[in-house]
Amino acid sequence: MLVRIVGMIGVTPPSSNASLHVIEGKLSPAYLTEIARAHEAAGFDMALVGYSSSSAEGFLVALHAAMQTERLGYLVAHRPGFVAPTLMARKIATLDHLTGGRLAVHIITGKTDDEQRGDGDFSPKDERYRRAAEYLEVMKLAWSNERSFDFSGEFYRVEGARSDVRPLQKPHPLLFFGGASDGALDMGARLCDVYAIYAEPLASTRERIAQFRAQAASFGRAPGFNVSVRPIIAPSEGAAWDKANRILATMKGKGWSRQEGAAGPVDNAGKRLMRFAVESDVHDERLWMPIARATGALGNTSCLVGTAEQVAESILKYYRLGVDSFLIRGFDPLNDAIEFGRELIPRIKAGAIEIDSLKAAG
């Protein structure tokens, strides 16, 4: 299988030397162009464009970045419920054509109830997952039907819906999703293509992959898997651990925005991450959890610490488990992307090819 390396682009230069989130803040088109081109030059296959209830609109961010790059794909985070699914189906299909098939979509249902209410959505989380599943069903009908169609569900009803534009990618751009609740897993198993999880210990990751594969197989589907992790690399292992602790020192006792100001984990995925962070600072030799613990496991906060060779080998252990996609980003967004392209990505891709060759040879 081909390994996919995903980064994350922000919209404005970071305000500190250790950034936890990059999508929020004012919009700088020049910086967006710079960081998108840096990811492309570094060899990333795709870049995530995040979402919050205050951030710049992700599909427009992706369109601008795509016009400044030639090869880089864009994984745009999207929360169903604020736009009609028929309109979003046309929007995604349109952007897929305008970018030459460089679009993927990450389906999310909201980080917290409070944050969701900032966009006017007061639905409880379980309901949001049911709504998102219906939303995806309607979008897929719009993408697959050349004739008009009707749909009647709990949340959406359309009559005579049709779309003049269908995605360039067939049958549609990849649909990522994340989450650990029953509602998230049911939606993803039935309707999404890639299950995105935070980096956990290898044993629990192996178990999650097996369980979700079985769940998706019951619907005749074979999903891919994405692991999100923060590499912290340096020329020597000691220097990497020193660097990790310097970053941790900037995180303690500090709030970056209303999201990071939460007192603890705010979703099921965060609760899982926090549990491993409380159990031990280090799992599997280099999976380092203190930043997850210090920030309440808000988002992608599990780290791999070591030299580039050591971190690449740790990432490839997940590849051997069946993870074919990795979202890697650091705490210094632009400079870390450049360093990962120089030191880390070539090692990951070469290692994946070697693993596949050995497997093919028996």
Side-chain angles (χ1 to χ4, degrees), residues 68-87:
Q68 314 304 318
T69 53
E70 298 179 357
R71 178 195 55 79
L72 186 67
Y74 295 90
L75 173 60
V76 183
H78 175 61
R79 293 184 186 178
F82 302 113
V83 179
T86 47
L87 173 57

Side-chain angles (χ1 to χ4, degrees), residues 30-346:
Y31 177 78
L32 174 57
T33 296
E34 181 182 21
I35 197 166
R37 288 176 175 170
H39 276 75
E40 180 164 82
F44 285 87
D45 300 295
M46 193 177 289
L48 172 65
V49 180
Y51 184 110
S52 81
S53 61
S54 64
S55 60
E57 202 285 315
F59 285 93
L60 292 177
V61 168
L63 179 60
H64 176 82
M67 296 303 100
Q68 314 304 318
T69 53
E70 298 179 357
R71 178 195 55 79
L72 186 67
Y74 295 90
L75 173 60
V76 183
H78 175 61
R79 293 184 186 178
F82 302 113
V83 179
T86 47
L87 173 57
M88 181 51 62
R90 300 196 301 274
K91 185 173 181 176
I92 289 171
T94 301
L95 188 54
D96 197 38
H97 278 274
L98 292 176
T99 61
R102 291 189 281 154
L103 179 65
V105 181
H106 184 47
I107 301 298
I108 53 177
T109 62
K111 181 179 294 185
T112 67
D113 288 346
D114 288 345
E115 205 244 346
Q116 196 78 359
R117 290 167 184 164
D119 272 333
D121 185 11
F122 290 79
S123 305
K125 194 162 191 176
D126 288 346
E127 182 177 303
R128 296 201 299 267
Y129 277 118
R130 297 200 312 275
R131 182 180 65 190
E134 244 182 52
Y135 190 95
L136 292 176
E137 290 175 16
V138 175
M139 285 205 303
K140 288 188 173 188
L141 286 170
W143 291 332
S144 61
N145 282 278
E146 295 188 6
R147 297 182 178 180
S148 300
F149 67 91
D150 299 337
F151 180 91
S152 181
E154 180 184 0
F155 302 96
Y156 298 104
R157 178 183 176 187
V158 299
E159 293 181 356
R162 65 184 301 270
S163 177
D164 294 334
V165 58
R166 279 170 291 281
L168 180 62
Q169 299 175 77
K170 302 301 178 187
H172 52 72
L174 285 175
L175 297 174
F176 287 59
F177 86 102
S181 68
D182 290 342
L185 295 172
D186 177 72
M187 178 196 74
R190 291 191 293 117
L191 296 161
C192 296
D193 306 303
V194 180
Y195 184 20
I197 60 178
Y198 299 134
E200 296 181 355
L202 293 167
S204 68
T205 302
R206 183 185 296 108
E207 181 180 350
R208 292 187 80 181
I209 288 174
Q211 290 174 345
F212 188 72
R213 275 180 174 160
Q215 187 171 356
S218 68
F219 298 102
R221 312 188 72 249
F225 295 88
N226 179 90
V227 162
S228 298
V229 69
R230 303 263 192 159
I232 300 175
I233 60 175
S236 70
E237 184 173 6
W241 287 111
D242 289 343
K243 180 178 178 181
N245 283 298
R246 286 196 301 272
I247 294 171
L248 175 62
T250 70
M251 298 287 173
K252 289 182 176 178
K254 180 180 179 183
W256 299 270
S257 77
R258 66 173 179 268
Q259 292 186 50
E260 290 79 17
V266 294
D267 54 23
N268 285 294
K271 290 175 183 176
R272 283 185 63 95
L273 206 62
M274 180 61 91
R275 187 173 77 245
F276 294 116
V278 171
E279 285 178 3
S280 178
D281 282 355
V282 180
H283 297 264
D284 300 324
E285 190 177 5
R286 359 208 123 262
L287 183 64
W288 190 61
M289 308 301 290
I291 289 179
R293 188 171 63 248
T295 59
L298 287 162
N300 175 15
T301 46
S302 47
C303 305
L304 286 171
V305 182
T307 66
E309 294 88 348
Q310 291 169 332
V311 169
E313 180 53 38
S314 292
I315 288 173
L316 290 169
K317 289 178 181 177
Y318 291 95
Y319 184 74
R320 291 183 178 94
L321 295 181
V323 178
D324 57 356
S325 181
F326 296 92
L327 193 158
I328 58 172
R329 61 187 178 111
F331 296 95
D332 182 358
L334 178 60
N335 292 321
D336 283 345
I338 294 169
E339 183 179 35
F340 293 164
R342 184 177 64 247
E343 303 291 343
L344 194 55
I345 293 174

